Amino acid sequence: MKLYKSTRGQQKPIDFYTSILQGIADDGGLLVPDFAFEKKTLADLVDMNYVDLATEIISSFVPADGRELIHQACIGAYDTGLFAKGVVPVQPAGNVYVAELFHGQTAAFKDMALSLLPRLMTLSLKQKGENREVMILTATSGDTGKAALEGFKDVEGTCIKVFYPEEGVSAVQKQQMVTTEGNNVEIIGINGNFDDAQTAVKKAFVSAELKALCDEHNVFLSSANSINIGRFIPQIVYYFYSYTTLVRDGEIKLGDEVNFVVPSGNFGNCLAGWIAKQMGLPVKTFVVASNKNNILTDFFTTGVYDANREFYKTNAPAMDILVSSNLERLVWFMADGDGDRIAKYMQELNETGIYRIDEAMLAKIKSEFAAGCLSEDDVIKTIRDCYKKTGYMLDTHTAVGYGVYQEYVAATNDTTPAILLSTASPYKFPESVYKALTGEDVDVYTAIDRLHKLTHVPIPYPLRGIQDKEVRFKEVVNKEDILDVIATRIKDK
Ligand SMILES: *Cc1c(COP(=O)(O)O)cnc(C)c1O
């Protein structure tokens, strides 16, 4: 039986469907597989299309009789026109291969998982005979919110509330969210940053008060954030897929090692890659790239996770994070599943803002991960240099990865073929990208227009004409009031 347990060891193991519905563990920890990862044979995977590969990988995490259901869900997510054929194009740019994860319905990599998660959620509701309505709570630094909204809008048996930092997302991201259609969606700005939103939402899940209210109103809470196992599991697929694409294209041979460069924030993306490696993907090093909020860089180089530092708003806002949730899962794996130890670290983090892993664990981590960070000015310079040299237009987040990778190569001379995960379309952050390419400051929609004229890179379908859409949501609340707002919404049910 494939069960999931908490990183903090205090929850009785539960099955896949229950885990999807529940989101976070009862003890505040994150759910992790309580079984050994299935090893895959690369030769079996190399010719698979995205849907078949996704079915093969994701089925490894689901009860054996769930395979056909997963197959149908994958067809719905990846083969009904939300993504172009092929789903994840891979192309060379300078010394890396760029795997573009932004061809879904909101032009960011969150679509890779959030096109599938609502389908896993409905499937799980059915499997469990659940008749309560599920209220999805989502904290977002910009991209998760819109991807979750698109995924869940008008999905039967669900409603979704998204909390975003009013001042901390790009103009395009905000416009995308507040114009979302659908009868079961709500978008609420907060006076605070992403960590405030995420912390409040995590509290909501373990609040006894809200739980009682939910019971009274026949509702239960779940999460579309990357704490849900339904986020990292679908993300494992594109690590395999970008690799097999390079094999099919003759760029590498089956079995060759590669490096992955991952622009990181909450660490869900990179964690999925590490799991792909456990399942047999030959990865040498993961290069973890951060912006000026470089808490992960410090952690991967010193073993100290120190959240007592300033929070910066940067031009790569989806990576503006100090509390990197999914790191808890990696540390749990590195501690060989010692829940007591993780509980202790997390308590220290909670009480003092800091925890430190031991030398042995740090050595283990360093043998698989490298890390670096890039200032805002260097992000702009990287976008300009890369475009000049290679003709490839990077978005600000992907530029963090590209720039950090150049520093990694200079420091290590490691010339293992590298796949850079591109996490957003440059048209989501057009003012910064246009400024990088031309030196000019223009407003957001002018920037989109001119970037297109300048580079001829197609504007992703979800971003065309968004300036003309009706704004449906304007509410902004104080961060202290988020839990009260959630309580009110439950009472309204
Ligand atoms: C979410 C996001 C990231 C960070 O991904 P994590 O899984 O949180 O590490 C990076 N870039 C973009 C554009 C994103 O939306």
Side-chain angles (χ1 to χ4, degrees), residues 108-110 141 143-144 173 226 231 235 262-270 318-319 321 326 395 397 423-424 429:
F109 104 91
K110 304 296 194 291
S141 57
D143 283 342
T144 291
Q173 289 175 315
S226 59
R231 286 285 300 278
Q235 291 175 179
V262 191
S264 292
N266 233 338
F267 203 67
N269 196 355
C270 196
M319 293 156 63
I321 287 175
N326 272 290
D395 101 287
H397 304 75
T423 50
F429 308 92

Side-chain angles (χ1 to χ4, degrees), residues 123-137:
L123 176 62
S124 303
L125 289 169
K126 275 207 198 107
Q127 291 286 316
K128 292 286 144 191
E130 181 60 72
N131 55 19
R132 290 174 297 172
E133 180 175 344
V134 48
M135 182 181 283
I136 309 289
L137 300 180

Side-chain angles (χ1 to χ4, degrees), residues 446-458:
T446 308
I448 291 181
D449 226 43
R450 291 208 191 153
L451 273 180
H452 180 58
K453 292 207 177 89
L454 182 71
T455 65
H456 306 290
V457 173

Side-chain angles (χ1 to χ4, degrees), residues 35 94 152 162 259 286 302 309 356 367 380 463 474 480:
F35 49 87
F152 280 99
V162 169
N259 291 337
F286 293 96
T302 67
R309 62 177 75 203
R356 176 194 300 269
S367 70
I380 296 302
L463 300 183
K474 292 191 175 148
E480 295 80 15

